[in-house]
Amino acid sequence: MQTRIGQGYDVHAIAEGLPMWLGGVQIPSATGFVAHSDGDVAIHALCDALLGAAALGDIGLHFPDNSDEWKGADSKMLLAKVVEMLSERGWKVGNADITIALQAPKLRPHIDKMRATLAPILGVGEDAVSVKATTAEKLGFVGRGEGCEAWAVVTINKD
Ligand code: MG
């Protein structure tokens, strides 16, 4: 069996009155993410990690943010397309580990729902999907509530 590792990173600015989607789940919040798609930074980082593991470029290459096709796109659909791209090449997801840095609101109550949402799209059990959240201790742009960052690491396997 071949195994590969991929990592991904994404950031989006925060603004008042926009929806906040993270890990495929809508988070109740007065603020949300400025984005061409739904702005789900966690899924975007995850997509880049998967594409990176298979050396298939990045999310901007496959889903350009100047394309009307992806305007307001549900990132879960982008993730499903990435998983399909890997599957066409014989790759299956092993596990995923995501870290989200957001000052507010607290994400802990939503973490298990994110794992339950992402696992079936990735074709793995929930025990293979980790989502972790941290604040930035009020430091930098994340700490000032100006943006949200996410990092993802994945393994993919081929028989
Ligand atoms: Mg993004």
Side-chain angles (χ1 to χ4, degrees):
M1 188 169 80
Q2 295 180 64
T3 296
R4 289 194 184 171
I5 295 172
Q7 66 92 27
Y9 167 78
D10 195 31
V11 58
H12 279 276
I14 290 175
E16 299 275 335
L18 292 173
M20 180 178 284
W21 286 92
L22 280 171
V25 173
Q26 187 162 16
I27 310 296
S29 172
T31 58
F33 302 134
V34 180
H36 185 71
S37 67
D38 65 11
D40 191 324
V41 286
I43 289 188
H44 296 176
L46 184 55
C47 287
D48 262 1
L50 291 163
L51 290 167
L56 288 173
D58 60 36
I59 194 169
L61 175 71
H62 298 285
F63 312 109
D65 66 4
N66 55 8
S67 157
D68 277 351
E69 193 179 353
W70 310 116
K71 197 165 164 43
D74 178 345
S75 294
K76 293 189 284 294
M77 193 259 290
L78 306 186
L79 179 61
K81 284 184 180 288
V82 167
V83 170
E84 190 183 314
M85 257 181 256
L86 267 63
S87 165
E88 283 163 3
R89 290 161 178 82
W91 294 108
K92 286 193 186 115
V93 178
N95 73 301
D97 185 18
I98 301 167
T99 302
I100 303 166
L102 180 69
Q103 193 60 42
K106 289 273 184 233
L107 296 177
R108 183 63 254 173
H110 310 290
I111 295 283
D112 286 341
K113 193 169 173 198
M114 293 183 203
R115 296 173 62 217
T117 301
L118 296 174
I121 306 173
L122 294 170
V124 299
E126 286 174 39
D127 64 346
V129 181
S130 158
V131 179
K132 313 187 299 295
T134 182
T135 70
E137 300 290 343
K138 306 215 166 137
L139 296 168
F141 71 86
V142 172
R144 290 189 297 271
E146 295 167 5
C148 177
E149 288 180 293
W151 298 260
V153 175
V154 300
T155 58
I156 59 172
N157 303 305
K158 191 191 279 202
D159 289 326

